Amino acid sequence: MVSSKVPISRLPLPKPTHTLTNNLSPDPVAKNVKELIELIKTQPSVLRKSRAAHESAHFFYMTPLPLGFPYPIRPPPDDITKEERAAYVEKVISSFEPLSEAPLAPFSGTTSPGLKKYHSLEREHHPRELLSVAPTCLRDCFPELDVGDSLDIIGHQLSEPKVEGQRTEASKAVREELVDILSGNSVLISVPTEGEGARGYAPWSLRYSGHQFGSWAGQLGDGRAISILETPLPDDQETTFELQLKGAGRTPFSRGADGLAVLRSSIREYLVAEGRSHHQSLLFATIFLTSKVNLFSTAMQALRIPTTRSLSLISLPTVRVYREEVETAAIVCRVAESFIRIGNFQALNSEQPDVSYMFLGSSGGAFAQQPPNYEALCILGEWVARRVLKLDLKEGEPWAKKLVWECARRNALMVAGWQVQGFMHGVMNTDNISIMGLTIDYGPYAFMDVFDEGHICNHTDEGGRYAYKYQPTMIVYALRMLLKSLGPVIGYELEHGKAVSPSWAKNIPKGKLKTWTAEAEEALSDDLEVLIMETFADEYWRLMRQRLGLRASQIKDHTEIIQPLLALMQKYSMDFHATFRHLTTFRASWMSPRTSDMPLGNDAADPLDNFLQVLLPSDSSDSARPIDPTAATKEWLEYLQTYAARINLAEEQAAWKDVAAEAAAHDAPSGPGEEWEAVREAEAKQYNPRFVLRQWVLEELISTLQSEAKDAGNRDLEAPTKGREALNKMLRMCTEPFRGWGAEGLAGEALTNDEREERRLCGTGPKNFLGFQCSCSS
């Protein structure tokens, strides 16, 4: 239990063995925090120019600098030398850097601060508007974090009822510090004292490379993301969470970009990351049992798509961002146990080290992907295997193959969740594939509306490489690239039966390293694909049964129940999620003694008639109307006969009657009909979202918030706004997607205004948004 909450500046650091920057290697341009401070004092442009990282480096020490780019630097006097001009530019950039120590937020406890807070006096006047803080992320990742009066300011739907006098000066100061740090305006740093050997603690950006749309892209890295802090869970010191600011300004990995993120894309990532992490219902996770052991965590895992999380969304209304048009900036604070990707390994052992790339602003102009560094590769690998993936390894035990296999297993489970929930990532480049199997880097993503297995959500993906149906295949490709990067290590392990030792590759000929890579790929590539596809298939069919309210597993479910259902949806252009949600209300008893050739009489008293009228509406204005209602009705009746027979299997009914008995013991609500059928419907609804974050919903919200950002100079940024209220209402709907929003099932005339709006947001939306493709521009 958390005894007291602390401001963000007093969150504890993990122990040194658990912090990334203490265990991986920084670029030599700043080998520790002392050198970082000296660099931003005297030559800060080094960190803002695109440059090749040293071949041994895993990261750059950084400081956030979310300014419009090019930076606002007034021209120097004409009568000065070239060297003086350069010094003048460095001095101006340095004035934007966090070099002035600032007081910490007030705190009445005894916790000693491990970090100091620094800011730039030059940037203090830049407005920062807190749009949202996610209570679910606070609860799960930072239960001891005090956010002051943040939830009161944003009028959050999940905040506690207001208490008179709640917004004290102290709570305001705690909130202002939170906003300063999560907007990149202030930085938490620990500078080691004179004589200490420790590196200290400061923000960082990771180095990685990768394949983009199947082509080698060379060095990539965190071009606009800066990780600012790690902190352990209070009750589990082995689990740490990393806070990363997306849109925090230029880094050495920015190439020709500005390092910023627009408000539009930030809203999209903030909502989807936090919403997708909470496919759960505490009631049904507790009641509906599949095992007598570890019940709660089993249900939680069954309902969740692995993902990074979202803590906050902050608008920077005066920072201009130039995309297809001029937009305003924002920063999302995203959260994960680790942001390491497959591309981090590729950066240290790429397959094409001799290809050159030109980066605007590069200190070296054109430069090649760095040559392999096998020592750095093993440092990263052992850190990931033992600390990130927490593999159970004995001293000296081979770890590289186990790392690849665990990464493959996790990503197969993740993609199974994507396919079942109709999620399309859009940019499955190897630098966007998490080593932990988390959905990461939300760009032109989408959720399926009208079902089309070939749908491409990213309009930049002209060849359809990352279409919905190809996502499982693309995960196989990404994991093969990881296998290739670790090939020399795995080849050594296969030959010697033990883990590599420090400096293991120093005296080994390059030819031997290539041989080991080839042997590893030949020996393991097919097995890797089998592992991924089998893990994916098992999880996919399991999750699909949950969506269809099926507890017992039958070998023909995928050929007789699941695949025919998807074929019907595609044939008649039916909405993916609305169809699944409506199927939860189906009762097998309605089909007896009806057959597929018996006509429907449009009988209002006939529940099957009513069911089909909602499933296959005849109103031509409905966005999910079938092409041929008569043919569709006949085919659906045939399908429902098969589905009803499957539900009525003795094994299936017995499983549901056991669940119904358990539910009754917990006083769970029941509905009309047989008790087990009511319980079955209630559980099935916990796997079929009522609210889906559709494109039209996002675009409507984005338009409102963009208008408010443009008007920020004319209003109090702490005052309530329509956009902020809508954002946080939508966040709540995202984090409770299975709830019956909009008084689901009630007649329209009985609804309140709030319920009418909820019902509208749960709808399929305007036809022009069906199959909408998003831009990579962000």
Side-chain angles (χ1 to χ4, degrees):
M1 296 293 292
V2 179
S3 57
S4 63
K5 292 181 179 290
V6 299
I8 190 170
S9 58
R10 292 179 184 265
L11 283 176
L13 292 176
K15 48 192 174 184
T17 54
H18 290 33
T19 58
L20 182 146
T21 55
N22 199 53
N23 290 274
L24 301 185
S25 302
D27 187 272
V29 72
K31 299 185 292 297
N32 54 54
V33 178
K34 283 183 183 177
E35 293 184 8
L36 171 68
I37 297 298
E38 185 61 27
L39 194 64
I40 63 176
K41 282 181 180 178
T42 61
Q43 205 176 358
S45 68
V46 169
L47 294 179
R48 308 303 167 185
K49 294 177 182 178
S50 295
R51 60 187 296 120
H54 189 270
E55 65 185 58
S56 67
H58 300 109
F59 67 92
F60 277 95
Y61 279 115
M62 288 300 306
T63 56
L65 189 60
L67 287 179
F69 187 80
Y71 297 137
I73 301 176
R74 294 178 181 176
D78 293 331
D79 58 345
I80 60 175
T81 66
K82 182 179 178 180
E83 291 74 17
E84 289 171 331
R85 283 175 177 270
Y88 170 83
V89 170
E90 298 290 1
K91 183 177 180 181
V92 174
I93 298 176
S94 182
S95 70
F96 299 133
E97 294 285 359
L99 290 167
S100 299
E101 186 173 351
L104 302 182
F107 176 62
S108 59
T110 57
T111 302
S112 299
L115 302 169
K116 293 183 178 181
K117 184 170 66 175
Y118 295 85
H119 66 164
S120 162
L121 298 177
E122 192 68 28
R123 288 196 282 140
E124 276 302 287
H125 64 282
H126 293 184
R128 303 170 291 280
E129 182 177 11
L130 178 63
L131 296 180
S132 187
V133 173
T136 44
C137 187
L138 285 172
R139 179 195 66 202
D140 297 340
C141 306
F142 310 107
E144 64 182 336
L145 175 59
D146 185 358
V147 298
D149 60 6
S150 296
L151 298 183
D152 187 45
I153 285 288
I154 64 179
H156 203 285
Q157 300 283 334
L158 295 184
S159 60
E160 296 296 324
K162 293 182 180 179
V163 178
E164 196 66 33
Q166 180 178 340
R167 291 181 60 184
T168 63
E169 286 301 313
S171 68
K172 178 182 178 181
V174 168
R175 183 248 307 164
E176 288 177 340
E177 178 179 82
L178 181 80
V179 172
D180 280 350
I181 291 169
L182 297 186
S183 67
N185 191 65
S186 296
V187 181
L188 297 175
I189 289 177
S190 172
V191 182
T193 58
E194 199 66 36
E196 284 187 2
R199 293 176 181 172
Y201 195 87
W204 68 94
S205 290
L206 284 174
R207 168 193 171 198
Y208 45 86
S209 299
H211 287 82
Q212 298 192 329
F213 293 92
S215 298
W216 181 246
Q219 176 181 287
L220 298 166
D222 286 331
R224 58 176 172 176
I226 298 177
S227 295
I228 60 169
L229 188 64
E230 300 152 294
T231 190
L233 277 176
D235 297 330
D236 179 9
Q237 296 293 306
E238 293 302 306
T239 299
T240 62
F241 287 103
E242 181 178 325
L243 290 82
Q244 184 180 86
L245 306 185
K246 185 173 182 178
R250 279 184 61 84
T251 76
F253 304 115
S254 295
R255 301 195 177 192
D258 55 22
L260 302 173
V262 297
L263 177 61
R264 162 177 48 88
S265 64
S266 301
I267 293 167
R268 288 171 52 83
E269 173 148 2
Y270 177 73
L271 287 173
V272 71
E274 196 56 20
R276 291 304 94 189
S277 70
H278 274 81
H279 275 185
Q280 62 190 23
S281 164
L282 299 184
L283 172 64
F284 289 96
T286 305
I287 293 176
F288 294 130
L289 312 178
T290 56
S291 165
K292 296 297 183 183
V293 181
N294 199 22
L295 304 176
F296 186 76
S297 63
T298 301
M300 292 273 281
Q301 184 176 358
L303 292 169
R304 179 172 296 180
I305 296 177
T307 178
T308 56
R309 303 289 297 269
S310 299
L311 177 59
S312 64
L313 175 62
I314 297 172
S315 172
L316 306 177
T318 61
V319 177
R320 296 289 179 258
V321 187
Y322 298 89
R323 299 295 184 259
E324 287 86 350
E325 58 186 39
V326 181
E327 302 183 56
T328 61
I331 290 183
V332 174
C333 178
R334 53 188 188 179
V335 176
E337 289 185 58
S338 174
F339 287 95
I340 291 175
R341 308 122 186 279
I342 286 176
N344 291 98
F345 289 87
Q346 290 183 284
L348 300 168
N349 183 24
S350 74
E351 61 176 15
Q352 295 172 303
D354 299 324
V355 180
S356 295
Y357 301 87
M358 176 71 78
F359 300 135
L360 298 178
S362 163
S363 59
F367 56 83
Q369 166 67 42
Q370 301 87 332
N373 188 296
Y374 302 109
E375 183 68 14
L377 180 69
C378 288
I379 290 172
L380 176 65
E382 292 212 43
W383 164 259
V384 168
R386 297 181 184 278
R387 177 74 210 114
V388 178
L389 298 178
K390 299 181 174 70
L391 300 180
D392 185 13
L393 295 166
K394 299 181 178 65
E395 191 65 33
E397 182 181 355
W399 51 262
K401 178 188 171 182
K402 287 189 175 183
L403 185 158
V404 175
W405 254 237
E406 177 64 9
C407 182
R409 184 189 69 82
R410 290 179 182 226
N411 276 284
L413 294 174
M414 175 194 73
V415 174
W418 288 5
Q419 301 302 102
V420 168
Q421 290 294 337
F423 174 80
M424 294 160 282
H425 185 276
V427 197
M428 294 175 65
N429 300 330
T430 57
D431 58 294
N432 292 338
I433 304 300
S434 160
I435 209 74
M436 293 191 72
L438 304 175
T439 312
I440 194 171
D441 285 346
Y442 292 94
Y445 72 85
F447 287 94
M448 188 72 72
D449 39 51
V450 171
F451 183 69
D452 173 11
E453 68 171 11
H455 183 61
I456 305 163
C457 67
N458 178 1
H459 75 63
T460 308
D461 186 10
E462 296 179 356
R465 178 181 178 86
Y466 299 137
Y468 171 76
K469 65 180 178 181
Y470 293 136
Q471 290 184 138
T473 304
M474 290 301 99
I475 279 295
V476 174
Y477 176 85
L479 267 297
R480 280 180 168 164
M481 295 303 102
L482 177 62
L483 175 63
K484 189 179 191 72
S485 293
L486 282 169
V489 185
I490 295 173
Y492 177 97
E493 291 179 349
L494 293 175
E495 183 171 310
H496 295 279
K498 62 180 181 179
V500 297
S501 57
S503 303
W504 67 284
K506 188 174 182 180
N507 297 316
I508 295 177
K510 288 185 179 180
K512 181 62 174 177
L513 293 166
K514 289 183 177 180
T515 298
W516 277 336
T517 298
E519 290 174 349
E521 290 184 285
E522 183 179 356
L524 301 177
S525 187
D526 289 345
D527 290 346
L528 177 64
E529 182 172 354
V530 169
L531 168 70
I532 294 169
M533 298 315 295
E534 287 184 349
T535 303
F536 167 83
D538 289 347
E539 182 73 352
Y540 178 81
W541 301 126
R542 183 183 73 84
L543 295 176
M544 273 295 190
R545 287 189 186 94
Q546 290 179 337
R547 292 205 75 168
L548 289 166
L550 300 174
R551 281 201 153 250
S553 174
Q554 297 292 321
I555 195 169
K556 293 184 178 180
D557 282 346
H558 65 292
T559 57
E560 295 183 356
I561 302 296
I562 299 170
Q563 289 179 341
L565 171 61
L566 297 176
L568 278 175
M569 284 192 211
Q570 176 135 352
K571 182 176 182 178
Y572 293 109
S573 302
M574 300 178 72
D575 186 84
F576 185 73
H577 289 288
T579 301
F580 269 111
R581 181 77 175 188
H582 189 53
L583 277 173
T584 65
T585 66
F586 176 73
R587 296 287 197 273
S589 56
W590 296 344
M591 300 305 297
S592 181
R594 190 184 296 274
T595 61
S596 61
D597 58 353
M598 291 176 65
L600 293 169
N602 294 319
D603 182 358
D606 184 344
L608 183 59
D609 268 14
N610 291 331
F611 175 85
L612 287 170
Q613 286 172 23
V614 174
L615 183 72
L616 307 170
S618 58
D619 181 1
S620 61
S621 66
D622 191 280
S623 59
R625 183 179 66 86
I627 297 172
D628 183 344
T630 302
T633 298
K634 185 176 187 302
E635 286 194 61
W636 266 98
L637 282 171
E638 292 173 353
Y639 175 79
L640 292 174
Q641 284 284 9
T642 304
Y643 186 36
R646 171 65 179 83
I647 294 169
N648 281 327
L649 288 177
E651 181 183 358
E652 187 71 27
Q653 286 203 23
W656 281 112
K657 287 174 181 177
D658 287 345
V659 174
E662 187 67 31
H666 288 80
D667 297 321
S670 61
E674 285 195 57
E675 185 180 26
W676 71 269
E677 287 193 299
V679 171
R680 177 182 170 274
E681 175 182 342
E683 182 178 348
K685 276 186 163 61
Q686 303 310 307
Y687 299 91
N688 291 283
R690 163 75 168 156
F691 174 75
V692 179
L693 195 59
R694 299 176 185 269
Q695 301 292 357
W696 77 268
V697 173
L698 282 164
E699 290 298 319
E700 187 178 278
L701 175 64
I702 287 167
S703 178
T704 300
L705 285 166
Q706 284 179 327
S707 296
E708 291 181 355
K710 291 175 182 177
D711 191 47
N714 301 316
R715 59 185 176 84
D716 178 1
L717 297 186
E718 294 183 6
T721 70
K722 178 182 176 182
R724 188 191 281 154
E725 181 181 358
L727 170 69
N728 288 290
K729 173 70 173 184
M730 200 170 295
L731 176 63
R732 185 180 180 190
M733 294 178 76
C734 283
T735 56
E736 299 179 57
F738 307 117
R739 181 174 168 177
W741 295 103
E744 184 182 22
L746 291 184
E749 59 270 14
L751 301 181
T752 66
N753 289 337
D754 282 349
E755 288 168 341
R756 290 181 192 279
E757 176 62 7
E758 291 167 2
R759 184 167 290 191
R760 186 182 75 86
L761 294 173
C762 291
T764 54
K767 284 186 176 181
N768 61 303
F769 276 99
L770 297 179
F772 185 80
Q773 289 184 309
C774 297
S775 166
C776 274
S777 170
S778 60

